[in-house]
Amino acid sequence: MCPPVHFAVEHSINPWMDPSVPVDADRALAQWRALRRTYEGLGHRVDVLEPLLGMPDMVFTANGALVIGERALGARFRAPGRAGEAPAHRRWLTDHGVDVRMPREINEGEGDFAWTGRRILAGSGFRTSPAACTELAEVFDVPVAPLHLVDPRFYHLDTALAVLDDRTIVYYPAAFSDSSQRLLASLYPEAIIATADDALVLGLNAVSDGTHVVLARQAEKLAAQIAERGYVPVPVDVSELLKSGGGVKCATLELHRATTATPAGTAGDR
C-alpha cells in the first residue's frame, strides 16, 4: 500500500475524475489508514511504499505490477502522468527479492490482471493492451483468459470483477463484451452476479483472502450476496478515493503466493 499523502484529482483519465470537485486529502488519508488497520486486524502483513511528490495517483498500488511468488510483471502506464510510478514499484519489489520483468506492452498491473490461483484473468479495452496477454503467459507460464471491457466507467478489470477464491468470482456482466460474458459464464458458472447499484459504488473493487472480503461499505446488496455464499464481508469506507475512480482493491497490490501447478493449473494460495 502507499499512503495518499499527495492524493488529488488534478487530471481526468477516467469518467470518475473531475478536477473541479474538491478532494479532502485528510479524509482520504484517514480512510486509507482504516483500510490498512482492517487488513492488519485480519492477520495480514501490510508493506508500505513511500509516496512520491507529484504522483497524486500513487495510492493506487494495485496498478504497479502483478506479483505471483518471486516473479512479477512490472507496469507500463498508459497515462504519461502516472509513468513515474512504475520505476518506484519495480525498485521496491526488486529490493524485496522479486524478479521483476520489464513490460513490452502497456499494462496496469492488478488493475487489469486478476490471479485466481488457477489462471490469470486479463482485462483490456481502456488501459491495458490486449497484447499483454502474451507477456503474461511468457512470464508466469499459466493459462490466461482475455476479457474485454466495454463500459468506460469500468476502465480497469478490478472495477468490474473480484476473485473471492480459486473457484469463485463476482462480477458485473454489463461491463464486459458479449464474448467475454460468455467466457466468464463458461469458466465460472456459479459466479456471484453484482447489481448495477453495487458496481457503481465500486463494490467489486474488493480484496478477498478466501474467507474475508473487504469491500466498499456502500455495496450493501453485494455484501449480503457474499455472506450468503459463506464468505465474511468486511465493509470499509473509501469514498474519498472514489472521487478518483479508486477503491479498496485499487489501493492494494497483493503479493500472491505461487502455485506448484503445471500450466494446466491447480488451486493455489492467494
Side-chain angles (χ1 to χ4, degrees):
M1 300 181 74
C2 180
V5 175
H6 308 299
F7 178 64
V9 179
E10 298 176 347
H11 52 193
S12 181
I13 57 174
N14 68 58
W16 303 85
M17 302 176 79
D18 183 351
S20 70
V21 175
V23 170
D24 187 333
D26 291 338
R27 185 166 183 255
L29 183 58
Q31 291 179 349
W32 179 90
R33 287 172 173 160
L35 176 59
R36 177 182 177 177
R37 289 195 300 271
T38 297
Y39 289 139
E40 292 172 336
L42 294 173
H44 302 295
R45 187 189 79 243
V46 176
D47 298 310
V48 177
L49 180 66
E50 187 71 22
L52 299 178
L53 184 65
M55 294 289 148
D57 299 322
M58 200 165 171
V59 61
F60 302 126
T61 53
N63 304 150
L66 174 65
V67 184
I68 303 175
E70 297 181 352
R71 188 173 300 175
L73 177 62
R76 182 181 174 191
F77 289 91
R78 182 170 293 277
R82 297 198 67 184
E85 298 175 38
H89 284 282
R90 291 197 299 269
R91 283 193 300 270
W92 191 95
L93 291 167
T94 299
D95 289 347
H96 288 77
V98 178
D99 175 16
V100 184
R101 307 296 176 89
M102 289 289 293
R104 297 188 303 270
E105 305 292 340
I106 290 173
N107 85 75
E108 299 199 351
E110 283 196 319
D112 276 322
F113 302 148
W115 173 234
T116 71
R118 297 169 178 263
R119 62 176 63 87
I120 298 169
L121 305 178
S124 66
F126 298 101
R127 298 289 186 83
T128 294
S129 166
C133 288
T134 301
E135 283 190 276
L136 286 171
E138 292 172 355
V139 171
F140 297 108
D141 194 25
V142 297
V144 178
L147 301 168
H148 186 66
L149 297 160
V150 296
D151 186 329
R153 296 171 298 180
F154 306 103
Y155 59 94
H156 273 153
L157 182 67
D158 69 359
T159 65
L161 179 151
V163 175
L164 302 186
D165 58 31
D166 60 358
R167 294 178 179 82
T168 307
I169 66 168
V170 53
Y171 69 104
Y172 177 55
F176 297 91
S177 67
D178 290 344
S179 61
S180 294
Q181 289 184 43
R182 290 193 294 271
L183 177 59
L184 286 169
S186 173
L187 294 174
Y188 301 99
E190 298 184 3
I192 298 172
I193 304 301
T195 66
D197 288 344
D198 287 335
L200 289 170
V201 292
L202 292 194
L204 291 160
N205 197 245
V207 172
S208 173
D209 61 12
T211 299
H212 308 93
V213 182
V214 184
L215 75 168
R217 186 185 67 187
Q218 294 78 8
E220 296 178 357
K221 293 178 183 177
L222 183 57
Q225 288 178 278
I226 288 169
E228 287 174 3
R229 292 290 190 95
Y231 301 94
V232 181
V234 183
V236 295
D237 183 11
V238 289
S239 53
E240 204 63 24
L241 298 181
L242 184 60
K243 294 178 180 179
S244 197
V248 171
K249 176 58 192 168
C250 288
T252 313
L253 175 64
E254 296 176 72
L255 306 179
H256 299 280
R257 297 175 183 174
T259 69
T260 56
T262 65
T266 59
D269 295 324
R270 299 187 70 250

